[in-house]
Amino acid sequence: MRSGSIFGVARIVAAKDLRIEIRSRVVSNQVMPFAGLVMVMFAFALDNDTTLERVAGGLVWLATLFSFFIIVQRSFAIDTADGALDALRVAGVNPAGIFLGKSIALMTHLFILEVMLVGAAIVLYRVNIQPNSIVLLVTCMICATVGLAFVGTLYGGLAAGMRGRETLLPLLLLPAVAPVLIGATKATEAAFGIVGMATSEGWPWVGLLAVFATVFGVGGLSAFGPLIEE
């Protein structure tokens, strides 16, 4: 029998994951420096102001995805190592609440990371964001973050009990998040005004991100329970 409302369970699970991060500071002390280093390496590898400005949007989201794999893997590695996920399942806790709670914690980590990476792009790649593009950029980040969190939680739960999950998880996630990489890159390029792109050109891509987030959100809420029970 499933116990607890979806939102009640989600609040508890999200608070638990966020408390773990506050105490361990893995995201702030390890993942964020890693993402920053990736941005710096891109700057040295390309070494051309014009090229860097033109591809800045894509580099921001590539660095986000590299870090995303690490964050998802760590989130489920902790629950698997101490048996927390199995304990919640055996206790009959609502799996939709677990999915939503872990997704919310992941969204928080990712959004903070993305803000840092956009700031790095402004400093390292000399990107200029016009005031009328800020709404597009923030909306793009929110939709992409929600989509990544949902798909990461869903596939993280799928791979949690498998052997070789450390290498399997990126292989599962990479094809699934390709639409987010494409849509977020195009929308961010429009927000950055890359190659004369108008801000209005980014909104259809934000729509794609919203559809992606909705599909994986609904799918995750219904499928997460059976996945972790396998």
Side-chain angles (χ1 to χ4, degrees):
M1 180 178 179
R2 295 177 180 179
S3 60
S5 67
I6 291 178
F7 297 107
V9 172
R11 179 179 58 81
I12 294 171
V13 172
K16 182 265 295 180
D17 281 8
L18 292 173
R19 278 198 303 269
I20 290 174
E21 167 54 27
I22 291 172
R23 292 172 182 172
S24 65
R25 298 184 180 178
V26 170
V27 173
S28 58
N29 291 348
Q30 297 179 25
V31 178
M32 292 181 71
F34 166 77
L37 182 60
V38 170
M39 296 289 282
V40 172
M41 291 176 65
F42 282 144
F44 280 111
L46 298 175
D47 194 26
N48 184 292
D49 288 347
T50 303
T51 302
L52 283 172
E53 185 178 354
R54 188 171 66 250
V55 300
L59 298 183
V60 166
W61 290 105
L62 277 175
T64 299
L65 288 186
F66 293 157
S67 306
F68 165 71
F69 297 146
I70 300 173
I71 296 173
V72 173
Q73 187 170 303
R74 169 175 164 73
S75 174
F76 282 92
I78 293 172
D79 286 345
T80 303
D82 62 10
L85 200 59
D86 288 336
L88 290 172
R89 177 176 57 82
V90 172
V93 175
N94 195 322
I98 300 173
F99 171 81
L100 189 58
K102 294 194 74 66
S103 296
I104 291 171
L106 188 54
M107 289 174 202
T108 304
H109 297 152
L110 284 174
F111 193 80
I112 294 172
L113 175 68
E114 290 161 13
V115 171
M116 184 272 288
L117 290 175
V118 169
I122 294 172
V123 173
L124 295 173
Y125 308 155
R126 300 180 182 179
V127 171
N128 294 315
I129 303 177
Q130 301 301 321
N132 62 346
S133 301
I134 294 177
V135 174
L136 171 63
L137 181 60
V138 173
T139 307
C140 166
M141 291 168 62
I142 291 173
C143 291
T145 299
V146 172
L148 287 175
F150 283 153
V151 73
T153 303
L154 182 61
Y155 280 87
L158 173 63
M162 296 182 179
R163 292 182 179 180
R165 57 182 174 271
E166 293 81 4
T167 53
L168 179 62
L169 186 58
L171 293 176
L172 292 173
L173 280 175
L174 195 55
V177 299
V180 176
L181 176 62
I182 296 170
T185 296
K186 294 295 186 180
T188 304
E189 287 177 349
F192 287 171
I194 304 301
V195 197
M197 289 183 66
T199 301
S200 59
E201 295 180 49
W203 287 109
W205 294 104
V206 172
L208 172 65
L209 295 174
V211 171
F212 181 92
T214 301
V215 169
F216 273 94
V218 173
L221 288 171
S222 59
F224 190 74
L227 285 179
I228 63 175
E229 288 173 4
E230 291 293 334

